[in-house]
Amino acid sequence: MLGLWAGLCLTGTFYATWHGYGGRDFAATLTAFAYFLLVMLLFAARGVADGIAARFGPGGGIALGAAAFLAYLIYGLGTNTFTFARAGVAACLVFLPMALAASTERKPGGTWQDFLTLAGIWVAVKFGPSHWVWPYPGGLLAYAFTVLLALNVALAAFVLMRRVNGIGYSIGWGQRWDLYVFGSLGVFACLAIVLGRALHFISFAPQWGAWKTLPFSALAIFFLTAWPEEFLFRGLLQNMLSRACKSDLAGWWTASVLFGFSHITNLGFPNWRYVILASVAGIFYGWTWRKTGSIFASAIVHAMVDVLWHFLFRSG
């Protein structure tokens, strides 16, 4: 994980330097970004999250949240974009979920506070003033920073403070996972192409000239879209809905439908065609997570679907 983190940070640094970024603004931005990414990846290493939780208990989650807020302050002060209003919004995003997590008094995962926390994190990422909170450089990293901060907060609240079991927040490969991952991708692709064309939602329009950007696009889609969404909708939401409903099937299908509805504002509101296809996709992602017990497997399927859609089809 440390090697992967270093490789991604160095690649981003060289790319930004090539485009002319530098100075204190860039150093502060890189520091905050590198910290958020480090937490995201390090917790996916086997035994790290359990070791931290066993040693520090819920206090580890509080410390992790405080460190995330400190990273935001470094960003704001280092880029000369700090205001008390921005810091207040960032503090709410960090500390309100942890306050809700602390109020559950070690109850099993699936309390109303848990679902309220998930809804709040999703709303903050989807509709929050990300470009205002993260203005440098020109709002280009606003979405990435918002996602990474929200993921850090979710790790602090649910992995360390709430100790929710069965999330599958790890990077690894298990027995027969190739069958589950590529089988899920293949069946869904066949179904989605037929359904998408029948709904007049997608058309075959390969962008052959854009394939040179595939490695960078695939990494961005995996780490900033697929991985966080699978953590939220499968590792947390589907997991806790199954516990609350006492039914894996009910949790699986409910989370899939909610995943579909989370896309209703994409490409124009209300986009019911997007909701239908995303709900079907959620069923396959949820099935992959159930069979493997890992968001890494479902995130791979999710990322490959998004990459193929981006490069081979046009939506409208």
Side-chain angles (χ1 to χ4, degrees):
M1 290 301 101
L2 289 173
L4 177 60
W5 169 75
L8 291 172
C9 288
L10 285 173
T11 301
T13 301
F14 290 141
Y15 182 76
T17 303
W18 180 52
H19 280 274
Y21 292 101
R24 191 183 74 170
D25 293 350
F26 174 67
T29 302
L30 179 61
T31 299
F33 188 87
Y35 171 75
F36 292 142
L37 185 63
L38 175 63
V39 173
M40 173 186 177
L41 293 177
L42 201 57
F43 269 67
R46 182 178 299 176
V48 170
D50 290 337
I52 294 175
R55 183 167 183 175
F56 299 104
I62 297 173
L64 183 61
F69 182 65
L70 177 60
Y72 176 78
L73 293 180
I74 291 173
Y75 166 88
L77 294 170
T79 58
N80 292 317
T81 60
F82 174 85
T83 66
F84 286 105
R86 289 190 177 108
V89 171
C92 289
L93 179 58
V94 171
F95 295 113
L96 284 180
M98 291 195 297
L100 284 171
S103 70
T104 57
E105 299 179 352
R106 298 186 179 181
K107 295 178 182 178
T111 64
W112 67 266
Q113 292 98 326
D114 292 329
F115 294 119
L116 180 60
T117 300
L118 290 179
I121 291 174
W122 177 79
V123 169
V125 173
K126 188 82 172 181
F127 302 108
S130 59
H131 286 77
W132 175 73
V133 176
W134 308 94
Y136 177 86
L140 295 176
L141 296 177
Y143 174 75
F145 266 121
T146 301
V147 168
L148 291 176
L149 177 60
L151 193 145
N152 274 236
V153 171
L155 287 172
F158 291 103
V159 175
L160 295 183
M161 297 184 70
R162 294 288 288 118
R163 298 295 301 274
V164 176
N165 295 321
I167 294 174
Y169 192 94
S170 63
I171 292 180
W173 199 260
Q175 187 178 11
R176 301 184 67 187
W177 281 22
D178 51 346
L179 175 62
Y180 300 138
V181 169
F182 295 105
S184 180
L185 173 66
V187 175
F188 171 69
C190 294
L191 180 61
I193 290 172
V194 174
L195 182 59
R197 290 180 64 85
L199 293 172
H200 303 289
F201 182 65
I202 60 172
S203 57
F204 186 64
Q207 303 178 48
W208 304 119
W211 282 90
K212 60 183 179 182
T213 65
L214 175 62
F216 297 103
S217 297
L219 284 173
I221 288 171
F222 181 81
F223 286 111
L224 298 177
T225 299
W227 181 268
E229 288 187 0
E230 291 308 300
F231 177 38
L232 176 67
F233 284 97
R234 252 58 65 178
L236 293 176
L237 183 60
Q238 182 175 331
N239 185 359
M240 292 191 293
L241 279 173
S242 298
R243 297 171 188 270
C245 300
K246 297 182 179 180
S247 169
D248 287 341
L249 186 63
W252 172 26
W253 283 76
T254 303
S256 299
V257 172
L258 290 174
F259 176 72
F261 271 92
S262 72
H263 295 77
I264 195 170
T265 59
N266 292 18
L267 303 179
F269 176 84
N271 195 332
W272 295 108
R273 295 178 298 174
Y274 209 137
V275 169
I276 293 171
L277 281 172
S279 297
V280 175
I283 292 172
F284 282 87
Y285 303 157
W287 179 84
T288 307
W289 177 78
R290 290 180 69 206
K291 297 297 292 186
T292 62
S294 172
I295 67 168
F296 178 60
S298 59
I300 290 176
V301 180
H302 190 152
M304 288 193 294
V305 167
D306 285 0
V307 168
L308 292 174
W309 179 19
H310 178 74
F311 285 100
L312 292 179
F313 296 92
R314 183 180 67 249
S315 301

